[in-house]
Amino acid sequence: GNSVTQMEGPVTLSEEAFLTINCTYTATGYPSLFWYVQYPGEGLQLLLKATKADDKGSNKGFEATYRKETTSFHLEKGSVQVSDSAVYFCALSGKDTGRRALTFGSGTRLQVQP
Amino acid sequence: EADIYQTPRYLVIGTGKKITLECSQTMGHDKMYWYQQDPGMELHLIHYSYGVNSTEKGDLSSESTVSRIRTEHFPLTLESARPSHTSQYLCASSANPNEQFFGPGTRLTVL
């Protein structure tokens, strides 16, 4: 079945540091891949997505590239801000996901210090 | 901007009480979902619906029940709340498998 593995947090960075949050997946066929963000006290928001191999999703300075050969979708940002402090979830939608639509990773908490 | 609403945002209630968590969306989405989010942040799907009069259990067993009488409304009910039900409950909807829109969540505390 489908599964998503994320690096454990918390990840603590200083403002303007480079961010990488690792995400790898297991799925049948060619899933679509997503990053969601959850700010304190809120629900999840879609941050970016990629629907086929080698696609790059990007939004608000965040990027992730769909790497089929390494089954990865790592999230990156060149210069983080305090306002980026949140929990980040990697997710996939694929053939085995079926009606459930999305399989989520366990989330990675990012803390950015001024 | 997604239009999906959850009420109440916070609820503190005593053991044994019946509660209903409300979820409504104005996007006309057929698919709706309930997730339970534990303190470790992980999301567990507890219920989903493909449309009116269609509901299914999710991956995590839950004592809650849901109904889908109208497309826009997907309430979750606990007949007798217990401390083990203390959690964050997130509702979501989608028109296609490639994106879900989430509500702000209800944080439930059962004393």
Side-chain angles (χ1 to χ4, degrees):
Chain A
N2 295 341
S3 67
V4 176
T5 302
Q6 288 181 237
M7 64 187 290
E8 290 191 16
V11 173
T12 303
L13 296 172
S14 298
E15 208 165 20
E16 299 184 2
F18 185 86
L19 168 71
T20 299
I21 299 178
N22 291 338
C23 171
T24 58
Y25 67 88
T26 301
T28 303
Y30 303 94
S32 296
L33 301 172
F34 308 85
W35 276 101
Y36 280 81
V37 59
Q38 185 178 29
Y39 297 104
E42 298 183 12
L44 276 69
Q45 304 173 24
L46 180 66
L47 180 60
L48 53 85
K49 65 182 179 183
T51 57
K52 62 182 187 295
D54 299 324
D55 268 2
K56 178 186 283 187
S58 61
N59 186 25
K60 299 181 181 179
F62 291 90
E63 293 183 339
T65 301
Y66 187 163
R67 302 284 188 200
K68 185 175 182 298
E69 64 276 13
T70 55
T71 61
S72 65
F73 193 54
H74 304 322
L75 182 68
E76 296 181 336
K77 187 176 184 182
S79 176
V80 294
Q81 305 300 313
V82 172
S83 57
D84 293 326
S85 298
V87 179
Y88 293 81
F89 291 89
C90 187
L92 71 82
S93 172
K95 177 182 174 182
D96 289 346
T97 306
R99 296 170 172 179
R100 289 166 173 77
L102 290 175
T103 298
F104 285 94
S106 57
T108 303
R109 185 179 300 278
L110 170 65
Q111 298 172 338
V112 181
Q113 299 174 337
Chain B
E1 188 76 18
D3 295 318
I4 179 164
Y5 308 99
Q6 291 186 244
T7 57
R9 292 292 311 277
Y10 303 92
L11 179 62
V12 181
I13 201 162
T15 296
K17 299 293 186 182
K18 177 180 179 179
I19 60 167
T20 296
L21 307 184
E22 301 288 349
C23 176
S24 295
Q25 50 96 4
T26 59
M27 297 170 282
H29 290 166
D30 288 330
K31 301 174 183 61
M32 295 190 74
Y33 311 85
W34 276 103
Y35 292 88
Q36 186 171 335
Q37 185 173 30
D38 60 28
M41 304 177 302
E42 193 160 353
L43 293 161
H44 303 283
L45 181 69
I46 53 175
H47 299 283
Y48 58 103
S49 167
Y50 314 137
V52 171
N53 295 325
S54 153
T55 62
E56 301 281 348
K57 294 283 190 182
D59 302 320
L60 180 69
S61 176
S62 173
E63 293 167 346
S64 59
T65 59
V66 292
S67 62
R68 190 88 183 276
I69 298 172
R70 303 198 313 268
T71 297
E72 63 270 23
H73 195 212
F74 191 42
L76 180 146
T77 298
L78 276 166
E79 290 293 333
S80 179
R82 294 206 301 270
S84 61
H85 296 138
T86 294
S87 191
Q88 164 107 315
Y89 293 85
L90 293 171
C91 180
S93 72
S94 70
N96 64 69
N98 284 334
E99 184 171 354
Q100 289 187 9
F101 294 93
F102 283 80
T106 294
R107 183 165 296 283
L108 172 66
T109 302
V110 183
L111 303 176

